[in-house]
Amino acid sequence: MTTNLFRAYCRTMGLPEPVTEYRFGAIASGGPGKGLRSRLKGTGLQDWRMDYAWPDQKVALEVEGGVWTGGRHTRGKGYTEDLRKYSEAAILGWRVIRTTPNELCKLRTLDMVRRALRNARNAESESRSTDTTETNRDLREDPKGVGHAGPNK
C-alpha cells in the first residue's frame, strides 16, 4: 500500500517512478542468477536491496523503520549492517537518502529525492562535458589519434 502511494506521489511530483527492492549488490556483482553467491563473496558485497531506487542516476531512498520502537535499524547489529550497506553503496557511487515511514510521503522527502536526481543528472552532464573537453584536448595534441603528436615524439 505505502509503495503504491509513494509511486503515485512521485508521478504527481513529475519524478520518475522508482524501482522497489533494487538489488544493488547483486547488480554490481554481475546480476542475479547462477553463481551470484560466489560473485558476491568475491566482491565483498551482499545481496542488499534498496527500498526505492533510481538506478540510472544511482539515487536510492531507504525507509528506516522502528526508529521509535527500538527496531532493527536502531539496534547494534542491524545499525552496523546498515552502515556497511550504505558505505558500500557510496563507494559504488550511490546517493542514499534515508527517511522514516512517517516521512516517506511528505513533500520534504519527495523534494530531497527530486534534488538528488537533479544533482545526479548535473554531475553526469559535467562528467560528459569533461570527457568531451579532454577528448578535444587530446585530439588537438594528437590530431590523427595515433598516439603521438608528431615524428619527434
Side-chain angles (χ1 to χ4, degrees):
M1 175 74 157
T2 304
T3 297
N4 291 335
L5 184 59
F6 181 71
R7 285 178 163 173
Y9 278 127
C10 285
R11 283 191 301 273
T12 301
M13 294 289 293
L15 298 172
E17 195 164 315
V19 176
T20 56
E21 296 296 314
Y22 183 75
R23 297 170 68 182
F24 83 94
I27 302 298
S29 300
K34 190 171 184 169
L36 175 62
R37 285 186 186 164
S38 62
R39 289 193 314 273
L40 286 168
K41 188 175 182 180
T43 61
L45 300 174
Q46 293 181 20
D47 193 10
W48 290 300
R49 289 164 169 76
M50 295 292 191
D51 295 328
Y52 299 96
W54 293 263
D56 292 343
Q57 290 86 20
K58 286 193 169 182
V59 171
L61 177 65
E62 282 287 284
V63 182
E64 308 291 357
V67 173
W68 304 109
T69 60
R72 179 209 169 277
H73 296 287
T74 62
R75 291 193 311 263
K77 184 178 182 205
Y79 184 80
T80 302
E81 289 173 0
D82 282 350
L83 289 177
R84 180 166 172 236
K85 172 182 170 178
Y86 301 142
S87 295
E88 292 291 349
I91 290 166
L92 292 170
W94 283 85
R95 298 163 191 257
V96 179
I97 300 165
R98 298 170 64 194
T99 192
T100 63
N102 292 345
E103 296 289 313
L104 177 61
C105 293
K106 292 197 175 173
L107 187 56
R108 76 176 129 250
T109 302
L110 292 160
D111 187 55
M112 283 190 286
V113 169
R114 181 187 57 75
R115 291 184 350 241
L117 290 169
R118 183 187 64 222
N119 289 342
R121 283 191 299 271
N122 289 344
E124 178 64 27
S125 294
E126 288 175 16
S127 174
R128 273 189 259 126
S129 175
T130 302
D131 292 346
T132 302
T133 302
E134 289 175 7
T135 300
N136 290 339
R137 186 189 69 235
D138 292 344
L139 288 174
R140 282 192 305 274
E141 293 171 2
D142 183 11
K144 293 183 181 180
V146 292
H148 58 82
N152 297 333
K153 297 227 175 189

